[in-house]
């Protein structure tokens, strides 16, 4: 299947570029089944233009770098720039890689794929890879006084650099910008502002109540997830993943563990799959609770928040019963779950589902027909399906714009394909539609949880491969083999084969992707996260320009921006 | 008051006067009554940046309800708050802004550092994370946890209330020096 796609691509591409250029391209399928195309850096723009214009791929999901300083065998150049494409028509994926040497530049692909902008800036920030013809190549995550590029292998992970001040208001250069004769007032929101939920900074110039131009600054919560992942054994990365999207922590655990498991070639037992599905859907519900609750608070409806938090607490209690933690749960391990569910837990899940269903009814009575809510949200932040795809929107924000794309349906993992649920779709993509989609999604999640929790498969909660999972404590203390296995796994760590993988799950915000490179050691050589809200937030300055200041807050809340995931 | 004067004129002894006044007055020191008022009406400015911020929402929420400790009037303007609750990781990029916010708060002001990241950088021993907010501002109460359970945050508030009530000495505030590497604003 995968080979066939690649052959087709090869045939079409060969007629698109000259023979000698084409001979330098490398096509291959990785052992886990990812299609890869390696091209010289000089050809990157024509190739990605072909991918777009031929209609083969409509999503640029991710761009990232990788530094092979310590791992140069078979390579000429130090860095890789890695692009991930996806087609919402055929559901195929393609990884394009280009090697870049130190002090070399690669052409920016922003002229073809506008959503590459921030991804390339991040790659420049992290690796120092320069993109020629990029419209605004500045640091994205690290502060402006930072020296060096932290994800290079020769940058020491804990070498901190202080920052002396915040940057004044700044905007990307725009040739069409003309302030002559306009009375513009600068406006700064955040990073410490109630409506920004912590760490977002919005800079704007306003003319009356209208936003004349806008820019955002990221990185106020850049806590070096990817560097931390490189310096920790595979299982110790799990707590860091909790803190990506901390509103729905288990989903990140699952996304990460699923990636490592696929690279290892481990299939987790049905009971672990069932528990993961339940946790993922519970997380989706509580994530949407926070999003809707906070969105409503920002627009003046405080009671919604209190209503919804009552139900969020119920789910916290379920998590607590499972592992002792409420928010950052680290419930999964590579190979399955950390521990089995306590007796009666699944029945409690069903009970809580009933209460949440009543809670969602309450929520709809509070908001769905509420005049003020409708006036503040309908027609605000509307985006067409075309634009949403061009920006790399995924998840509820994409579906609100009318695109039927849910990875649980189109690339089903675990046993989602055997479950009965619908994918709610909006039409206008405005804040109100996003709200409606989220509400409907919560109801679908409840449906999924009930189906799974009523028929939990029997069996073990984890695989028992001694090279992957620690033996049970009774074996560690009870027999020599268990003790040795425990010792070996702790000392050596679990070691996936050399290789790389990009794997995705449908998280609360959209496509959560992990790009993992393994060099066969006990630690990830490179782990990159494709955070769903990063791509969505990228469209924000364009979305708010020309609109009212008050709408900025409504749109911001509907995007469900989570600092931990955005800045990593 | 006039009633008390009349009674004393009617020939009560000093002791009898004190006894009689118990029904309508109490005596205290000015600083004690100030501390009493202060501790029961802390106005927090939540500086929520990350996961702890979400857990702080729970503290505010209906189940835990920090209002029971008189600290529910959340102010997002530092000028109107006297309790800075730093909930979440403070990065090097954020540090100058946190200091600026702290400096804008009016005396008397108190700081609670909620969670491992704010207290020490937590498990982010990393290039862009400040290794504890006490490197830039004086902290009264550290609340451990990652994130701390809401009960722990309330315990932190109660510890602070006791410190205020007892007029606990705060050498960390007295000896605090503004970090030299951060430029003053304006």
């Amino acid at each position: 299947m995968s080979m066939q796609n690649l052959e087709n691509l090869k045939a079409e591409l060969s007629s698109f570029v000259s023979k000698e250029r084409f001979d330098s391209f490398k096509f291959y399928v990785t052992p886990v089944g990812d299609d890869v195309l390696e091209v010289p850096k000089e050809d990157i723009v024509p190739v990605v233009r072909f991918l777009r214009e031929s209609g083969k791929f409509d999503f640029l999901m991710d761009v990232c770098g990788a530094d092979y300083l310590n791992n140069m065998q078979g390579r000429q150049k130090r860095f890789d720039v890695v692009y991930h494409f996806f087609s919402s028509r055929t559901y195929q994926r393609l990884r394009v890689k280009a090697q870049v040497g130190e002090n070399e530049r690669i052409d920016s692909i922003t002229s073809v794929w506008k959503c590459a902008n921030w991804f390339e800036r991040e790659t420049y920030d992290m690796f120092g890879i320069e993109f020629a013809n990029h419209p605004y190549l500045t640091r994205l995550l690290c502060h402006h006084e930072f020296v060096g590029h932290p994800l290079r292998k020769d940058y020491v992970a804990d070498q901190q650099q202080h920052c002396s001040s915040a940057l004044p208001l700044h905007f990307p250069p725009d040739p069409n910008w003309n302030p002559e004769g306009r009375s513009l007032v600068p406006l700064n929101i955040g990073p410490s502002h109630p409506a920004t939920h912590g760490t977002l900074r919005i800079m704007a110039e306003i003319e009356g109540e209208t936003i004349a131009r806008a820019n955002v600054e990221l990185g106020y919560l850049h806590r070096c997830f990817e560097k931390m992942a490189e310096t920790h054994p595979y299982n110790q990365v799990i707590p860091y993943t909790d803190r990506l999207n901390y509103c729905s922590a288990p989903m990140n655990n699952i996304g990460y563990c699923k990636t490592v498991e696929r690279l290892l070639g481990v299939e987790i037992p049905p009971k672990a799959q069932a528990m993961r599905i339940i946790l993922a859907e519970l997380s989706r519900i509580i994530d949407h609770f926070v999003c809707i609750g906070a969105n409503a608070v920002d627009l003046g409806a405080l009671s919604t928040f209190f209503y919804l938090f009552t139900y969020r607490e119920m789910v916290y209690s379920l998590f607590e019963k499972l592992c002792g933690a409420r928010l950052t749960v680290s419930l999964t391990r590579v190979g399955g779950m950390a521990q089995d569910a306590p007796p009666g837990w699944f029945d409690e899940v069903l009970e809580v589902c009933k209460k949440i269903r009543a809670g969602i009814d309450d929520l709809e009575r509070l908001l769905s027909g509420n005049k003020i809510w409708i006036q503040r949200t309908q027609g605000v932040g509307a985006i067409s399906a075309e634009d949403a795809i061009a920006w790399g929107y995924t998840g509820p924000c994409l579906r609100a714009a009318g695109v039927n794309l849910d990875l649980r349906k189109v690339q089903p993992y675990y046993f989602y394909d055997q479950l009965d649920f619908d994918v709610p779709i909006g039409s206008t993509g405005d804040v109100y539609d996003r709200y409606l989609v989220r509400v409907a999604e919560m109801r679908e999640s409840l449906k999924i949880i009930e189906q799974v929790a009523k028929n939990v498969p029997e069996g073990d909660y984890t695989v028992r491969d001694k090279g992957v999972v620690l033996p049970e404590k009774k074996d560690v203390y009870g027999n020599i083999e268990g003790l040795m296995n425990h010792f070996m796994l702790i000392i050596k760590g679990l070691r996936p084969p050399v290789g790389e993988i990009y794997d995705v799950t449908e998280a609360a915000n959209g496509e959560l992707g992990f790009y993992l490179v393994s060099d066969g050691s006990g630690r990830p050589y490179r782990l990159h996260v494709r955070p769903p809200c990063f791509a969505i937030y990228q469209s924000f300055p364009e979305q708010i320009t020309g609109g009212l200041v008050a709408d900025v807050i409504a749109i911001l809340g509907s995007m469900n921006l989570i600092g931990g995931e955005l800045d990593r | 008051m006039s009633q008390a004067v009349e009674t004393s004129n009617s020939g009560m002894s000093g002791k009898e006067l004190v006894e009689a006044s118990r029904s309508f007055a109490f005596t205290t020191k000015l600083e004690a009554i100030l501390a009493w008022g202060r501790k029961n009406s802390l106005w927090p400015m939540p500086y929520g940046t990350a996961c702890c911020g979400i857990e702080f929402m729970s503290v505010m929420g209906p189940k835990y309800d920090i209002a029971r400790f008189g600290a529910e009037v959340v102010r997002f303007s530092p000028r109107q708050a006297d309790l800075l609750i730093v909930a979440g990781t403070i990065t090097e990029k954020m540090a100058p802004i946190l200091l600026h916010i702290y400096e804008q708060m009016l005396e008397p002001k108190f700081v609670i550092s909620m969670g491992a990241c704010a207290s020490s950088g937590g498990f982010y021993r990393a290039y862009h994370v400040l290794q504890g907010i006490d490197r830039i501002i004086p902290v009264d109460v550290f609340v451990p946890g990652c994130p701390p359970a809401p009960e722990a945050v309330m315990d932190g508030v109660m510890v602070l209330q006791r410190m205020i009530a007892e007029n606990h000495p705060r050498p960390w505030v007295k000896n605090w020096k503004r970090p030299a590497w951060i430029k003053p604003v304006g």
Side-chain angles (χ1 to χ4, degrees):
Chain A
M1 171 72 186
S2 205
M3 206 47 163
Q4 188 57 47
N5 298 335
L6 212 51
E7 287 304 319
N8 292 345
L9 177 69
K10 213 169 169 175
E12 286 182 44
L13 200 54
S14 68
S15 56
F16 189 76
V17 292
S18 69
K19 175 86 174 69
E20 77 242 42
R21 304 288 341 150
F22 183 74
D23 286 344
S24 59
F25 292 2
K26 268 197 281 184
F27 296 81
Y28 58 91
V29 181
T30 65
V32 291
D34 292 355
D35 293 341
V36 185
L37 164 58
E38 280 187 37
V39 299
K41 73 179 178 67
E42 290 75 19
D43 295 314
I44 191 69
V45 174
V47 167
V48 299
R49 173 167 287 128
F50 165 78
L51 294 177
R52 184 184 177 87
E53 287 172 3
S54 66
K56 280 202 150 334
F57 295 96
D58 49 0
F59 276 93
L60 172 65
M61 281 299 181
D62 187 38
V63 181
C64 69
D67 178 9
Y68 288 92
L69 180 67
N70 312 327
N71 201 359
M72 286 292 281
Q73 60 272 51
R75 298 177 57 91
Q76 280 95 47
K77 294 175 176 179
R78 179 174 171 181
F79 300 107
D80 260 355
V81 180
V82 186
Y83 306 80
H84 284 102
F85 294 94
F86 175 72
S87 163
S88 65
R89 195 169 46 82
T90 59
Y91 311 136
Q92 287 169 15
R93 287 178 189 278
L94 177 70
R95 179 182 313 142
V96 178
K97 301 209 290 183
Q99 290 194 14
V100 184
E102 234 172 320
N103 306 321
E104 275 187 352
R105 288 152 74 91
I106 181 170
D107 285 329
S108 163
I109 62 165
T110 42
S111 54
V112 189
W113 298 84
K114 64 176 173 181
C115 65
N117 189 325
W118 279 13
F119 288 106
E120 288 184 346
R121 275 177 70 189
E122 185 192 327
T123 309
Y124 161 72
D125 188 1
M126 294 292 130
F127 293 95
I129 300 170
E130 292 203 17
F131 292 86
N133 306 321
H134 188 285
Y136 189 51
L137 194 66
T138 49
R139 284 194 184 274
L140 186 71
L141 298 178
C142 291
H143 60 76
H144 60 286
E145 289 163 11
F146 202 88
V147 180
H149 300 282
L151 278 184
R152 288 188 171 194
K153 287 287 174 185
D154 46 8
Y155 192 96
V156 183
D158 61 352
Q159 190 187 321
Q160 286 115 19
Q161 300 184 27
H162 289 319
C163 176
S164 72
S165 60
L167 275 178
L169 258 63
H170 54 276
F171 300 91
D174 179 1
N176 304 322
W177 175 249
N178 182 17
E180 286 296 306
R182 303 171 74 172
S183 70
L184 296 164
V185 178
L187 174 73
N188 179 75
I189 307 176
S192 173
H193 182 277
T196 64
H197 306 279
T199 55
L200 314 169
R201 184 184 181 196
I202 304 157
M203 297 162 286
E205 280 186 327
I206 54 176
E207 204 171 14
E209 276 289 302
T210 313
I211 307 275
R213 63 171 173 169
N215 187 23
V216 292
E217 195 181 356
L218 277 74
Y220 284 103
L221 194 58
H222 176 52
R223 21 184 202 185
C224 329
F225 168 79
E226 290 170 13
K227 194 75 175 181
M228 291 292 99
E230 287 174 15
T231 50
H232 285 76
Y234 280 92
N235 266 321
Q236 287 185 17
V237 177
I238 296 171
Y240 287 99
T241 63
D242 271 314
R243 288 151 183 84
L244 289 169
N245 182 345
Y246 34 74
C247 289
S248 52
M251 286 184 137
N252 309 293
N253 299 161
I254 292 167
Y256 167 73
C257 284
K258 180 168 164 277
T259 309
V260 181
E261 282 153 7
R262 258 193 69 202
L263 190 61
L264 276 164
V266 169
E267 172 89 9
I268 63 166
K271 184 162 191 188
Q273 298 188 11
M275 286 176 73
R276 285 190 184 181
I277 290 180
I278 292 177
L279 285 172
E281 297 310 319
L282 283 174
S283 310
R284 194 182 315 278
I285 294 170
I286 61 173
D287 192 283
H288 289 352
F289 276 168
V290 171
C291 175
I292 295 172
N295 202 180
V297 169
D298 294 345
L299 300 185
L302 194 61
S303 48
T304 320
F305 166 80
F306 288 127
Y307 268 95
L308 293 180
F309 247 76
T310 316
Y311 300 101
R312 206 176 142 93
E313 289 288 346
M314 289 176 192
V315 178
Y316 279 156
S317 301
L318 287 177
F319 290 170
E320 252 178 321
K321 281 180 183 151
L322 211 49
C323 69
R326 288 158 48 88
L327 188 70
T328 45
V329 289
S330 303
L331 269 163
T332 64
R333 294 289 179 275
V334 176
M337 305 299 296
Q339 57 209 10
D340 207 349
W345 189 77
F346 294 103
D347 298 329
E348 284 180 49
V349 169
L350 290 171
E351 280 302 305
V352 169
C353 280
K354 268 188 217 151
K355 290 180 188 158
I356 291 179
R357 185 161 281 132
I360 298 173
D361 292 341
D362 274 348
L363 165 68
E364 289 225 78
R365 274 195 290 273
L366 275 169
L367 287 186
S368 294
N370 182 321
K371 240 188 213 169
I372 304 171
W373 176 251
I374 290 173
Q375 283 176 354
R376 289 298 308 272
T377 57
Q378 254 178 14
V380 173
I383 187 165
S384 69
E386 223 170 27
D387 278 346
I389 291 173
W391 280 117
Y393 273 43
T394 48
C397 291
L398 176 70
R399 292 190 283 273
V403 181
N404 183 357
L405 181 66
D406 188 322
L407 296 171
R408 295 172 296 172
K409 284 281 188 202
V410 305
Q411 289 191 332
Y413 44 98
Y414 302 142
F415 50 87
Y416 273 115
D417 49 346
Q418 297 162 30
L419 298 168
D420 171 35
F421 68 100
D422 296 318
V423 178
I425 307 288
S427 55
T428 60
D430 62 7
V431 179
Y432 189 67
D433 268 19
R434 290 174 193 175
Y435 156 76
L436 288 181
V437 164
R438 285 201 171 92
V439 170
E441 254 179 39
M442 291 195 285
R443 292 191 191 279
E444 296 304 315
S445 290
L446 288 174
K447 252 164 77 182
I448 296 174
I449 298 168
E450 283 167 346
Q451 289 170 60
V452 179
K454 276 180 188 154
N455 304 297
V456 182
E458 291 295 313
D460 214 344
Y461 59 90
T462 174
V463 294
R464 291 293 171 193
D465 183 337
K466 59 183 194 296
V468 176
V469 177
L470 290 175
E472 282 189 85
K473 279 286 175 283
K474 68 174 168 46
D475 292 325
V476 178
Y477 298 123
N479 62 61
I480 185 71
E481 202 201 338
L483 183 63
M484 278 164 60
N485 289 340
H486 185 93
F487 178 81
M488 287 307 285
L489 198 53
I490 294 287
I491 297 299
K492 278 182 63 190
L494 67 97
R495 294 176 178 236
V498 178
E500 54 179 48
I501 182 172
Y502 178 77
D503 202 12
V504 292
T505 49
E506 180 73 34
N509 264 345
E511 171 170 323
L512 176 68
F514 285 92
Y515 173 60
L516 171 65
V517 180
S518 162
D519 61 348
S521 71
R523 295 167 179 181
Y525 187 77
R526 168 92 173 99
L527 180 67
H528 173 73
V529 187
R530 190 262 174 204
C533 68
F534 186 83
I536 296 172
Y537 192 39
Q538 199 179 165
S539 69
F540 185 71
E542 196 182 277
Q543 280 245 293
I544 61 171
T545 303
L548 299 176
V549 177
D551 292 345
V552 170
I553 305 302
I555 297 170
L556 191 70
S558 74
M559 286 182 170
N560 195 21
L561 303 161
I562 309 293
E565 178 180 271
L566 186 72
D567 296 347
R568 283 152 289 151
Chain B
M1 187 59 83
S2 63
Q3 198 190 354
V5 173
E6 276 170 27
T7 338
S8 77
N9 285 348
S10 68
M12 280 169 91
S13 73
K15 199 176 171 193
E16 282 168 331
L17 182 65
V18 171
E19 283 299 319
S21 70
R22 283 195 200 286
S23 62
F24 59 86
F26 70 97
T27 54
T28 180
K29 290 180 192 150
L30 182 61
E31 63 185 32
I33 195 165
L34 265 178
W36 173 80
R38 218 166 252 163
K39 88 178 170 76
N40 289 312
S41 63
L42 287 166
W43 286 22
M45 144 116 202
Y47 202 92
T49 61
C51 339
C52 283
I54 305 292
E55 217 38 353
F56 188 75
M57 285 186 192
S58 277
V59 179
M60 302 294 309
K63 184 170 171 186
Y64 292 97
D65 195 7
I66 204 173
R68 296 176 294 143
F69 301 87
E72 82 279 24
V73 188
V74 177
R75 290 293 120 139
F76 287 94
S77 164
R79 301 276 187 213
Q80 300 172 344
D82 56 0
L83 169 61
L84 179 64
I85 297 183
V86 181
T89 314
I90 299 299
T91 58
E92 297 284 4
K93 192 172 188 170
M94 189 64 109
I97 291 150
L98 177 64
L99 177 65
H100 187 201
I101 296 275
Y102 175 78
E103 286 181 322
Q104 284 180 317
M105 289 171 67
L106 304 177
E107 294 285 356
K109 54 186 170 184
F110 308 94
V111 178
I112 290 182
S113 161
M114 175 179 172
C117 287
S119 302
S120 69
F123 72 171
Y124 292 102
R125 186 146 295 174
Y127 57 86
H128 202 252
V129 175
L130 186 71
Q131 303 294 297
I133 57 165
D134 56 341
R135 295 188 176 208
I136 54 168
I137 57 175
V139 178
D140 293 287
V141 179
F142 294 93
V143 181
C146 189
E151 292 92 336
V153 180
M154 291 180 167
D155 185 53
V157 172
M158 286 158 74
V159 167
L160 184 66
Q161 287 184 326
R162 274 200 297 281
M163 281 170 58
I164 296 170
E166 292 163 8
N167 268 318
H168 195 287
R170 299 161 77 207
W172 51 88
V173 177
K174 219 174 91 194
N175 301 330
W176 174 67
K177 284 194 186 67
R178 195 182 187 285
W181 78 77
I182 297 180
K183 286 185 201 149
V185 176

